[in-house]
Amino acid sequence: PDDLSGACIDAALRIHRKFGSGMLENAYEDFLFRTLTREGFKVERQKAISFDFEGDRYDNAFRAHLIVNNRLIIEVKAQEMNSPVHAKQLLTYLRLVKLPLGLVINFGMPKLMDGVKRVVNDLPPDFSPQLRVNQPIPPVHT
């Protein structure tokens, strides 16, 4: 997962260096989608996510901005400030689709790395959501 998230962050950094922080969210999403696809990643854009809860089906409950290699969700933002709700929202998405890792990438920040948040879905549901945000990714054992 570290290699995958690193490649995605690297692509975002190149895009941010080229275009800065003044564009709309959907433009950055498109740039990142095309860049990652061109680099050989399988990327799904605006994928509708459905899930079941207590016997009810919730179709198209949300749309994931980008899902990379069926392992990582990227939420793209273009805001002047970060909001803690974005990482919490992404954690909920990760839990619903049972994926381990997500990135919030806020292209609206003057320095892109100030807008990158890594969200890891690896703790039991009764732990506080703040404990799951920006935690180091454990090594993958094969």
Side-chain angles (χ1 to χ4, degrees), residues 1-2 11 26 29 42 45-46 49 55 76 103 114 119 137 139:
D2 265 331
N26 64 344
E29 182 183 313
K42 178 184 178 236
R45 183 176 182 199
Q46 289 294 321
I49 305 296
V76 176
L103 295 170
D114 291 339
V119 180
I137 298 173

Side-chain angles (χ1 to χ4, degrees), residues 40 48 67 86 88:
I67 299 179
H86 296 140
K88 292 175 185 178

Side-chain angles (χ1 to χ4, degrees), residues 53-119:
F53 175 68
E54 294 185 351
D56 293 322
R57 180 77 179 162
Y58 295 86
D59 288 320
N60 304 316
F62 68 91
R63 292 192 175 271
H65 289 173
L66 301 172
I67 299 179
V68 184
N69 287 359
N70 293 315
R71 292 183 15 225
L72 173 111
I73 295 177
I74 299 175
E75 277 295 300
V76 176
K77 302 296 177 191
Q79 300 179 354
E80 291 182 21
M81 296 180 64
N82 293 320
S83 174
V85 73
H86 296 140
K88 292 175 185 178
Q89 177 185 35
L90 179 55
L91 177 60
T92 299
Y93 294 173
L94 292 170
R95 290 175 65 197
L96 289 171
V97 297
K98 297 176 177 61
L99 289 179
L101 180 63
L103 295 170
V104 176
I105 302 178
N106 184 1
F107 285 91
M109 303 296 289
K111 182 178 173 190
L112 182 70
M113 288 310 293
D114 291 339
V116 174
K117 296 283 183 196
R118 179 182 300 180
V119 180

